[in-house]
Amino acid sequence: MKKILILIFYIVLNNCAGYEPILNSKNVNFYIGKIVNKDNAHITKKIITRLKPYQIAKGDLKIDLEIESNVNDRIVSKDSKGAAKILEKSIEVKITSKKNNDINQLVYLETFSFNIQSNKFELNQYKKNIENTLVDRILQQLIIDLR
């Protein structure tokens, strides 16, 4: 019984040896040449700064991007006094990618609903955290689609 457990333990450890993250910028076969900010929004600026590791020429395929973003805060629910109770933050990013002579239009939409907090400072910090999380999700999808 002890030998079987050791064998299973060894097999499990041996299978985990080749782990590599999917979104590693070292193992990509493309690089981003030029990024155009169409709307000069802060979300677009965040995306551009987070795409900096992919602008180093490592692969054969050059991709140019045009990015446009839109942020919406929508009231989902109100209390009995008419004050907002639940908000929904949505970020829509439209990206036009140009590879060689191919032009692709990519659209990403991420939403998140949350309760309103009474402390305005904590609410603004929470909104910033949500925004960063949604931008990270969009970037993950973008990198996967560009590969």
Side-chain angles (χ1 to χ4, degrees):
M1 181 68 177
K2 193 173 185 181
K3 291 180 183 182
I4 294 174
L5 288 176
I6 292 173
L7 180 64
I8 291 173
F9 183 72
Y10 176 73
I11 290 172
V12 169
L13 283 179
N14 194 22
N15 287 337
C16 296
Y19 170 76
E20 288 186 24
I22 295 173
L23 299 175
N24 190 356
S25 64
K26 295 177 184 175
N27 300 329
V28 293
N29 59 353
F30 69 91
Y31 68 97
I32 298 173
K34 184 172 103 174
I35 301 176
V36 177
N37 186 349
K38 280 189 165 180
D39 58 1
N40 206 19
H42 70 281
I43 294 294
T44 307
K45 290 178 183 177
K46 283 183 183 182
I47 292 172
I48 290 172
T49 56
R50 292 182 185 172
L51 286 174
K52 291 286 183 194
Y54 297 98
Q55 289 184 317
I56 300 169
K58 293 182 181 177
D60 299 333
L61 183 62
K62 178 183 173 186
I63 301 173
D64 295 329
L65 299 177
E66 292 180 2
I67 303 173
E68 182 180 359
S69 64
N70 188 16
V71 179
N72 292 322
D73 289 333
R74 185 175 68 98
I75 298 173
V76 176
S77 175
K78 294 183 179 183
D79 61 4
S80 60
K81 297 178 184 177
K85 187 176 179 183
I86 299 175
L87 281 179
E88 180 181 74
K89 185 173 223 33
S90 65
I91 297 177
E92 180 182 17
V93 178
K94 296 177 184 174
I95 299 174
T96 305
S97 67
K98 297 176 185 175
K99 301 176 192 176
N100 299 331
N101 291 326
D102 297 333
I103 297 175
N104 293 329
Q105 185 77 16
L106 305 168
V107 179
Y108 301 102
L109 177 66
E110 290 288 333
T111 60
F112 186 79
S113 298
F114 57 95
N115 293 330
I116 298 288
Q117 299 174 358
S118 59
N119 188 344
K120 296 295 181 187
F121 177 74
E122 289 180 6
L123 179 63
N124 286 335
Q125 292 298 318
Y126 190 59
K127 283 183 179 180
K128 287 179 186 178
N129 288 339
I130 291 170
E131 197 171 90
N132 288 332
T133 304
L134 295 177
V135 167
D136 286 340
R137 286 185 196 168
I138 290 171
L139 278 173
Q140 288 176 357
Q141 292 177 355
L142 172 66
I143 297 302
I144 289 171
D145 288 344
L146 290 178
R147 284 186 167 189

